Amino acid sequence: MLVLTRKLNESIMIGEDIEVMVLDVREGFVKLGIKAPREIQVHRQEVFAEIRAENLRAQQPAPESLASAAEALSKAKPRPKRRFNTGEQP
């Protein structure tokens, strides 16, 4: 981990596109300003962790959903095959 010391209104650059500036320091809290391209997502660590956890949960199929889908498919009547009119005479 790189550790830097910055004073109020001083900044650091991450690559060429991201600037992190110290905006305020009070009572043990530091307020940072972050300039980054719109396509770069910027989140507090705890928000990022929650987003990641939710994405992982969304990737896992719920067993009850799979069971109900399998049951619905097994009860479904097969649909008749469609015949498409090609304009040709039989």
Side-chain angles (χ1 to χ4, degrees):
M1 174 187 303
L2 173 64
V3 178
L4 301 171
T5 302
R6 298 280 73 199
K7 295 179 181 176
L8 191 61
N9 295 320
E10 291 183 339
S11 62
I12 63 167
M13 295 297 298
I14 301 173
E16 294 184 13
D17 297 338
I18 302 170
E19 179 181 8
V20 180
M21 179 179 278
V22 178
L23 300 178
D24 194 15
V25 180
R26 281 190 204 169
E27 301 171 10
F29 290 95
V30 178
K31 186 184 286 188
L32 301 174
I34 301 167
K35 291 182 189 176
R38 288 196 176 273
E39 62 270 11
I40 302 290
Q41 295 184 9
V42 178
H43 301 287
R44 295 188 324 257
Q45 189 279 331
E46 63 274 15
V47 172
F48 178 77
E50 186 57 34
I51 291 169
R52 177 180 251 172
E54 182 59 32
N55 287 341
L56 290 174
R57 281 192 295 272
Q59 291 176 356
Q60 302 301 318
E64 61 276 1
S65 297
L66 288 176
S68 64
E71 183 179 342
L73 286 173
S74 68
K75 292 180 181 179
K77 295 180 184 178
R79 298 199 294 186
K81 292 183 180 180
R82 292 184 181 182
R83 291 187 178 188
F84 295 97
N85 186 358
T86 60
E88 297 176 14
Q89 296 294 328

